[in-house]
Amino acid sequence: MIGTIVNTCTILIGGTFGAIVRGGIKDKYKSAMFDALGLACLVLGINAALPNMAKSEYPVMFIVSLAIGGIIGTRLDLAGRIDRLNAKLNAKAGKENNSLHGLMTGILLYCIGTFSIVGPVLSCLSPTGGWAFSEPANTFLYTNATLDLVTSAVLAASYGWIMLLAAPVLFCWQGMFYLIAFFFGDGMPDPMRVELSIVGGVLILSSGISILGIKDLKTVNLLPSLLVPVIFYLIKGLF
């Protein structure tokens, strides 16, 4: 569990640093950071999805997940709700800032991936339960923490203090997998993790395309897609 706490703290530290220096960054440099962030999302999304596609039990699962999730998200108008709430925040702040979309992008980057899913499980199953700093099982989480430290600083420099809200989300996300491993032994089935990584990778890729201004894919509407593989394997496990 120490690994998850360290990971959460690095997001708070990186986010705080980025938010503090944000006011001193000129617009042209902020634009350059947005471009860099968009490209990073493309690379990270592809890296999360493609290696796992070869491991998938059902190669069309991610397509079905995105289709069903997209329909649910569109029906619930998740993107529209975020846009309207973002507009209210902009009105209060007196300036244009796509902060809520930045927060959603950050949450996806922090939470989706092998390190953030498998890391808490390995930590829990270690001899000390992941409560020792030197525990080798925490290596995944320490690596993830290092990546998130840099990413959180860049995101906060672009979107501001709101990015700190991603830290408790990450803690709850990794804590959930830690508890799953604690109560059920080896945690989630590997096929479920593979499908989640593929769908999550596509969502990160979608965020990158939107950040670069290529097309607004309304990634928020696709978030329910992450539930489809989970529900599928839970039902499959009953039979």
Side-chain angles (χ1 to χ4, degrees):
M1 198 63 180
I2 288 293
T4 292
I5 294 174
V6 170
N7 200 166
T8 302
C9 289
T10 56
I11 292 176
L12 292 173
I13 293 170
T16 299
F17 173 78
I20 289 174
V21 303
R22 181 171 182 253
I25 301 177
K26 295 181 180 180
D27 288 341
K28 63 178 181 180
Y29 296 122
K30 288 183 180 179
S31 178
M33 284 195 299
F34 271 111
D35 291 341
L37 180 60
L39 290 172
C41 286
L42 294 183
V43 174
L44 291 172
I46 293 171
N47 185 61
L50 287 186
N52 284 290
M53 290 184 69
K55 306 174 186 176
S56 176
E57 288 185 337
Y58 307 99
V60 298
M61 171 70 74
F62 82 99
I63 300 175
V64 175
S65 298
L66 291 169
I68 294 175
I71 291 173
I72 294 173
T74 301
R75 179 68 182 85
L76 296 175
D77 192 25
L78 297 180
R81 294 172 189 269
I82 292 293
D83 287 339
R84 289 189 289 273
L85 181 56
N86 202 70
K88 290 181 180 179
L89 292 176
N90 287 337
K92 290 182 179 180
K95 59 182 178 180
E96 187 72 21
N97 183 16
N98 222 5
S99 56
L100 286 179
H101 289 283
L103 177 60
M104 298 306 299
T105 298
I107 290 173
L108 283 172
L109 286 172
Y110 302 148
C111 295
I112 302 300
T114 301
F115 289 164
S116 202
I117 294 175
V118 177
V121 174
L122 294 178
S123 177
C124 178
L125 298 177
S126 67
T128 65
W131 286 104
F133 276 104
S134 59
E135 180 63 61
N138 282 324
T139 301
F140 272 20
L141 293 175
Y142 291 153
T143 302
N144 202 55
T146 304
L147 296 172
D148 289 348
L149 178 66
V150 177
T151 305
S152 61
V154 174
L155 283 168
S158 301
Y159 296 106
W161 291 100
I162 194 172
M163 294 309 304
L164 296 184
L165 295 178
V169 174
L170 174 88
F171 182 83
C172 293
W173 173 262
Q174 292 188 359
M176 175 184 68
F177 291 115
Y178 186 94
L179 290 175
I180 288 174
F182 181 81
F183 288 109
F184 300 103
D186 58 354
M188 71 162 53
D190 193 58
M192 184 191 298
R193 181 196 62 78
V194 168
E195 300 302 336
L196 278 175
S197 296
I198 296 173
V199 175
V202 174
L203 296 188
I204 294 173
L205 179 63
S206 173
S207 294
I209 292 174
S210 297
I211 290 173
L212 290 172
I214 299 173
K215 182 178 181 180
D216 183 5
L217 296 175
K218 300 188 182 302
T219 307
V220 177
N221 280 346
L222 295 173
L223 288 178
S225 303
L226 291 168
L227 294 175
V228 177
V230 175
I231 293 174
F232 173 81
Y233 280 102
L234 286 177
I235 293 175
K236 183 181 178 183
L238 297 175
F239 299 96

